[in-house]
Amino acid sequence: MKIEEVKSTVKTQRIAAHTHVKGLGLDESGVPIQMASGLVGQKTAREAAGVVVDLIKSKKMSGRALLLAGPPGTGKTAIALAIAQELGNKVPFCPMVGSEVFSNEIKKSEVLMENFRRSIGLRIRETKEVYEGEVTELTPVETENPMGGYGKTISNVVIGLKTAKGTKQLKLDPSIYESLQKEKVEVGDVIYIEANSGAVKRQGRSDTYATEFDLETEEYVPLPKGDVHKKKEVVQDVTLHDLDVANARPQGGQDVLSMVGQIMKPKKTEITDKLRMEINKVVNKYIDQGIAELVPGVLFIDEVHMLDLETFTYLHKSLESSIAPIVIFATNRGRCVIRGTDDIVSPHGIPLDLLDRLLIVRTSPYNVSEIEQILKLRAQTEGLSIEDAAVSALSEIGNQTTLRYAVQLLTPANQNCKVNGRTQITKDDITEVNGLFLDAKRSAKYLSESNTKYMV
């Protein structure tokens, strides 16, 4: 008998710059732990961010804005992403960069408004008549093609659904069979089918199949209780931008609940202010009736100094709207000229009237011990083995240059280590790759010394 060890079938996750960030790393009383949830240091900024998260969760932060200000490489984006992690995936989080508004296709104000609307969620609760249960049978019934020819078409599909209380066999339209195929439904899955629209939703695999494989990638759900045919409260999360796009060219019904099914449209259409106002009226109506609930999310604008005076004015107006998200700005600039002007200098390149509306959180440069902790964390995230002496040498380099440069040396040092037949990164590997590559300061120094050799 031959026994072979196989690789795990779990999908490998791409490691990005902030993959290690899992939250703000606060204790129960909201005090930051020195190193927790992928964040190191920046205790004041993290504690302030924790207060903001509490305000967002209690729905007292809508229409307000936060500014994360600090030198490059001090964890501004990491803190913003940590706020998103703390809020969970049910609260919309829309990241963008200031330069995104300068597009040739659409107006600057339209780009900002689209992202504003993406950052505001709507949770719709609706009681629907559904057929719900575990699929016990899925049989498409074929018939001769009415158009002639040799092919056959599906006339209907027979599906068996089972709950804890009983079973039921249904004969469904062929269009529903297409929906079943799109949802990749098979025998053993728990699904529900809406009686009125025929929409199919796969909830997961039945937990009776939970021990089918050693490595599980499925989400297992219990067998539904009650009858197969029942009334069920269905909760759907959409954003206002989804509703805007779905109704730019409406098809079918005109209320919010019928709009949800039209969200995925391939063609981009123009969305007018008049349409948005009409959607806002309908949304407010459903909120008053208790059918829907507004979920103000977070719009994160990095490199906010890239915006110009016109967009800042538009932002000022949008923040005063009755339906507005929480806006988090980030910038690494000090006093500089506001873009779109020639001589108006302002802190962080933001007009003073907008700056006056912001809660400002400052991030500070990391010290050597904090850089060392971050480098160890990144090495662990990337699955690299590194000696303590190498970490110390790299943290000194990071202190003299920048944290980002030190982090970027990890991967080349690991490659150098493999070429030399070792499994652990040593101090020699760090010294060698630091000699091969230049940081921004050394490159600028070399450029100033050899400027005459370059073309103007």
Side-chain angles (χ1 to χ4, degrees), residues 123-131 192-197 229-236 255 257 286 289-292:
R123 188 162 295 146
I124 303 166
R125 286 183 172 84
E126 187 184 7
T127 303
K128 291 186 177 181
E129 192 179 335
V130 299
Y131 293 92
Y192 71 78
I193 304 168
E194 292 180 17
N196 296 331
S197 64
H229 188 198
K230 66 182 89 171
K231 287 191 175 179
K232 178 184 174 76
E233 186 183 63
V234 179
V235 179
Q236 298 178 84
D255 60 20
L257 304 177
Y286 277 95
Q289 291 175 356
I291 296 171

Side-chain angles (χ1 to χ4, degrees), residues 75-128:
K76 297 181 293 297
T77 307
I79 289 171
L81 293 173
I83 290 172
Q85 293 277 7
E86 292 285 346
L87 291 171
N89 57 4
K90 293 293 182 185
V91 177
F93 182 85
C94 179
M96 66 171 288
V97 182
S99 55
E100 281 181 38
V101 302
F102 301 101
S103 165
N104 292 326
E105 294 179 6
I106 51 178
K107 296 181 291 186
K108 292 180 281 188
S109 57
E110 181 63 20
V111 175
L112 275 177
M113 182 48 74
E114 275 190 14
N115 284 293
F116 256 75
R117 306 277 285 184
R118 280 193 182 100
S119 310
I120 303 166
L122 192 69
R123 188 162 295 146
I124 303 166
R125 286 183 172 84
E126 187 184 7
T127 303
K128 291 186 177 181

Side-chain angles (χ1 to χ4, degrees), residues 51-66 87 91-92 116-117 119-121 240 284 287 293-299 315-328 357-359:
V51 173
V52 170
V53 168
D54 290 339
L55 286 170
I56 295 170
K57 286 180 176 177
S58 60
K59 298 180 181 177
K60 294 178 180 175
M61 188 77 186
S62 180
R64 301 190 189 188
L66 182 76
L87 291 171
V91 177
F116 256 75
R117 306 277 285 184
S119 310
I120 303 166
L240 293 187
N284 286 327
I287 290 168
E293 175 192 358
L294 204 66
V295 184
V298 175
L299 172 60
L315 269 174
H316 208 286
K317 172 205 162 193
S318 301
L319 283 169
E320 292 174 345
S321 168
S322 57
I323 300 179
I326 299 95
V327 184
I328 299 178
R357 294 179 65 96
L358 308 179
L359 293 170

Side-chain angles (χ1 to χ4, degrees), residues 19 23-24 44 50 62 90 115 149 155 206-207 209 276 288 301 326 348 360 376 389 395 404 421:
T19 301
L24 287 169
T44 307
S62 180
K90 293 293 182 185
N115 284 293
S155 61
S206 174
D207 58 6
Y209 293 84
R276 287 194 174 112
D288 292 340
I301 305 179
I326 299 95
H348 313 300
I360 302 172
K376 284 180 180 176
S395 58
R404 287 173 180 167

